[in-house]
Amino acid sequence: MKFSKGAAARIAVAAAGGLVLVGTAGAAFAAEVDGSDVDVNVQIAPVVGPGSLSLTVAGTSATLTESASGDAQVRQFDGALPTVTVTDTRDVADIPADHFWYVVGQASAFTGPGGATISPDHLGWTPKLIDGGDTGLVTEGEPVGTSEDTGDDAVGLVDKELLYTALESKTVKEGGESSWTADAALVLKTDAGVTPGAYTSKLTLSLFEDVF
């Protein structure tokens, strides 16, 4: 079918007009007349990891109080370390057979009034195993005396001193337990002429795992 130029022009105008009308109608339809909100909820479970070896302490401070030293030249102050717990949530298969873990403690100098200090060799401890499980492979460290004492162990908590250890990480976990606890009796000994006042030291506890 053939169209004249005039007919073609009228069709083009009509088509353009149709497009304009459609566009106008669409704009009117887009006007919001009502609305409502929908809450979208999801529960995401934690990722189950391979487990870990970790340390927790049942408190953040220990207070020492004076007791009789038995020596007129020495003042003594006693206290207790908060309970220290080692937890192993690893699968037994993930623990190498030749590894062992241990907890050590190291003290900073006591700082007191007017810049007075007491060096960390004046602080000692006597570790005590609370719950070592049934394997017999978890054991407490040896007592550490102070520089006011005598003997080979009279060194204080200057270096990393052993609180307790598991001699075989894998075998201990195979025993059926997943946590083990220990604490320690703390003792501070100073000379009788120590500057009076409030003193503070930081005792850092660290957990390590090593290989034989």
Side-chain angles (χ1 to χ4, degrees), residues 113-204:
T117 62
I118 302 171
S119 56
D121 56 284
H122 288 81
L123 179 66
W125 69 7
T126 301
K128 178 185 177 183
L129 187 64
I130 300 173
D131 184 1
D134 298 328
T135 64
L137 294 174
V138 179
T139 183
E140 62 202 29
E142 294 293 326
V144 177
T146 78
S147 57
E148 296 290 341
D149 299 310
T150 58
D152 293 339
D153 66 345
V155 295
L157 301 180
V158 176
D159 293 322
K160 295 180 176 66
E161 298 291 344
L162 180 65
L163 178 64
Y164 69 135
T165 180
L167 301 179
E168 296 177 20
S169 301
K170 188 181 187 74
T171 305
V172 165
K173 186 65 188 290
E174 287 174 340
E177 294 86 14
S178 59
S179 65
W180 308 267
T181 53
D183 60 14
L186 301 175
V187 59
L188 174 69
K189 292 185 179 182
T190 70
D191 63 81
V194 64
T195 302
Y199 288 80
T200 300
S201 170
K202 179 180 291 185
L203 177 55
T204 300

Side-chain angles (χ1 to χ4, degrees), residues 45-52 89-91 94:
V47 175
V48 178
S52 63
T89 59
R90 299 172 296 180
D91 291 334
D94 295 331

